[in-house]
Amino acid sequence: MSNLMPYLALALLAIALHLVLRRRRERKGAAVKAEVMAAGLNEPASLHPIVDPVRCIGSGGCTRVCPEAALGIVGGKAELINAAACIGHGACAAACPVEAIQLVFGTAKRGVDIPRVDPHFESNVAGLFIAGELGGMGLIRKAATQGVQAMDSIRRRGRAPSDRYDVVIVGAGPAGLGAALSAQAHGLRYLVLEQEDSLGGSVYHYPRAKIAMTSPVTLPLVGQVRMSEVSKEKLLAFWQDVVQRHDLKLSFKDAMHRVEPDSGGFVVHATRGQYRAQSVLLAIGRRGSPRKLGCPGEELPNVVYRLIDAEQYRGRRVLVVGGGDSALEAAVQLSEQPGTRVRLAYRSAAFNRVKGKNRLALEGAVAAGRIQLHLSTEVARIELAKVVLTADGQRDTVPNDDVIVCAGGVLPTPLLQAMGIAFDTKHGTT
């Protein structure tokens, strides 16, 4: 028995250490959950996990594979403690040893409208396909894979007559580019329409140097791409190289306005013309068009709807409009540029739905005098060298060079419904 004592002591020490670390993780998870709920960020944006507490054994495997730390252990069970950070990649479900995690859209309180598509990515409108973020899949790797899979379904519909495209792809994000590579590989007649002047879709709208999380993905003509954690710039450079190397057929600044059926498929009405196609693949984002302020002067060239590179505003006077994380992040990044004078205007009296780290960064910049805050404030007018702000019925004209509006986007739901696409509202279901 005495010979076993050292081993027994080591076993007890290991158990004690495990329990201490587990309690520490649980306290941290509970603290994050409380902070997130206090900030009003406990509603997921789209696809996210739900955990069956009966099946969950609290192993913590799901939390270890979640790069956003959206999952934590609370009360001995896994739980979504930071819903706003979740991007729906599903690594947690794959890591669960007892299959206690299911990926769903929406919640009991807030439904999410998802276009109705079948397993082949075809909508209720025959010949009209949907892949990527619009269908609820915003993750880069899965969106690109969906684009490839959708094109396989389109290819099986056969070739179109010579007077039309086999397929018109709308959107040059990961889903659209994956589909274009597949179409090119199969020798289809295709065209990609992109409303912007650049590649990348939602990735292009990331702030400069933002990390874009992805996983290995196999693409037609390219092969397996291994990028586990890369910057936005590196990912966009990769896509640009793919487009040039394989001569993908893209039309930039060519926004899709509507899609109408005709006798041989569809007519796609776009900025640069009309395109006839047997099939259409919608690979657009859920953000749609930027939400406008509706004030005079918003059409001026010094007004933009995203911050791409803070350095280009060095030494300028900039007004940021908005109260979400993107607005706070933009204002803080701008304030770090030498000589840049930054104002942040928000129509409400407080920032209720922002991440704690962004709130702290903003408070630090305001305290240091790098950002001037205007709460309960609306933008009444924009001019090239000044803006007019209103607060409590009072107007204030301030000198200003540039305006960055970070007010989110208008979902393209009415446009899609006009095409005949049906939507299902998901309340915590797949």
Side-chain angles (χ1 to χ4, degrees), residues 151 155 178-188 190 219-222 248:
M151 193 53 60
R155 177 173 58 89
L181 284 167
S182 180
Q184 186 98 325
H186 292 300
L188 300 182
Y190 74 94
L219 298 171
L221 303 178
V222 177
L248 300 186

Side-chain angles (χ1 to χ4, degrees), residues 2 16 23 26 77 81 125 229 240 295 344 368 371:
S2 60
R23 290 195 188 97
E26 290 203 22
K77 304 290 184 178
I81 59 173
V125 180
E229 185 172 322
Q240 187 66 50
C295 68
L344 175 60
I371 296 177

Side-chain angles (χ1 to χ4, degrees), residues 263-275:
S263 57
F266 302 94
V267 179
V268 181
H269 297 265
T271 303
R272 295 182 179 274
Q274 298 179 5
Y275 308 96

Side-chain angles (χ1 to χ4, degrees), residues 14 42 65 77 98 135 235 251 387 400 413:
N42 54 324
V65 299
K77 304 290 184 178
V98 294
L235 190 59
S251 179
V387 293
N400 189 75
T413 303

Side-chain angles (χ1 to χ4, degrees), residues 215-219 222-227 235 238 242:
S215 301
V217 58
T218 300
L219 298 171
V222 177
Q224 189 176 62
V225 182
R226 293 184 176 275
M227 290 187 289
L235 190 59
F238 162 76
V242 166

Side-chain angles (χ1 to χ4, degrees), residues 114-125 128-131 134-136 146 281-282 421-424 426:
I114 301 295
R116 189 179 301 163
V117 296
D118 65 17
H120 305 290
F121 301 97
E122 190 170 16
S123 73
N124 61 292
V125 180
L128 213 166
F129 294 75
I130 294 174
L134 178 61
Q146 281 193 358
L281 172 60
L282 300 178
I421 295 175
F423 283 75
D424 292 322
K426 306 289 186 177

